[in-house]
Amino acid sequence: MKDKLKILAMIIFGIIIGVFSKYCDTSGKTFSHYFGILSSGIFFWFFIAILILCLSKTRKLFNLYYLSFMGSMLVSYYLYSKYVIGYYYSKIVWFWIIMLFITTIIGNIFYNMRKTKLFRCLFIIGSIVLIIYDGIKLYGFGNGTFIIEIILSIIGYIIINKESNKKNRDGNENNESGFFKKLK
């Protein structure tokens, strides 16, 4: 029952973020406009995926939470875009649908290593690359949105570290061998 409520909360929150994100894309140069820019970037998806990945107790719950949140965000974003704004471009929608499933697969690949040093290093590298990518491709570095992404990446790293330390305290180590075991 508790998991069903969390999934429902993820869907509701995803709808709210999706509509608010599209509204902010079109709201002009207000404070909310920066949220629109931030939520249009790939780093935003990366950050949300990492949080859900690290905080999910099982792989099944990761898939349910992630697809519930991101799927509802995606659907509400483009429904708002089509019916309120009057803008709809199917190639962009298909791109983000494909990205949704690709990022779900990537999350499943990294699920077992999400509380390791290697994962923390990959998170740092991924954050840097995506912040630079978003800065170059989406908004430049002049409006300060990249600073918010840097702050979010620091918050993400703190959460990953906290979850990793919790795992080590609880003794819930995965039985990994070789290279991955050395990186813990």
Side-chain angles (χ1 to χ4, degrees), residues 3 6 9 13 19 40 42 48 59-60 64 67 74 91 93 104 114 118 129 137 140 148 152 165-166 169 177 184:
D3 290 332
K6 287 182 181 177
F13 191 57
V19 169
S40 295
I42 293 178
I48 297 294
R59 184 184 309 266
K60 179 182 175 185
L64 289 171
L67 290 170
L74 187 66
K91 288 183 181 181
V93 175
T104 305
R114 72 192 193 281
L118 174 61
V129 167
K137 289 288 187 179
I148 296 169
L152 288 175
N165 290 337
K166 186 189 308 182
R169 279 192 312 273
S177 60
K184 285 190 175 185

Side-chain angles (χ1 to χ4, degrees), residues 2 9 22 24 26 30 35 60 65 75 97 120 128 131 133 157 162 167 177:
K2 188 177 177 183
K22 188 60 185 180
C24 293
T26 60
T30 63
F35 181 78
K60 179 182 175 185
Y65 294 158
V75 168
I97 289 170
R120 289 188 297 252
I128 292 168
I131 289 168
Y133 175 82
Y157 186 79
K162 180 182 169 200
K167 175 187 138 186
S177 60

Side-chain angles (χ1 to χ4, degrees), residues 2 7 54 75 81 83 87 95 97 103 122 149 156 174 184:
K2 188 177 177 183
I7 292 168
C54 289
V75 168
S81 179
Y83 293 109
Y87 173 78
F95 169 79
I97 289 170
T103 54
L122 291 173
E149 288 184 344
N174 288 332
K184 285 190 175 185

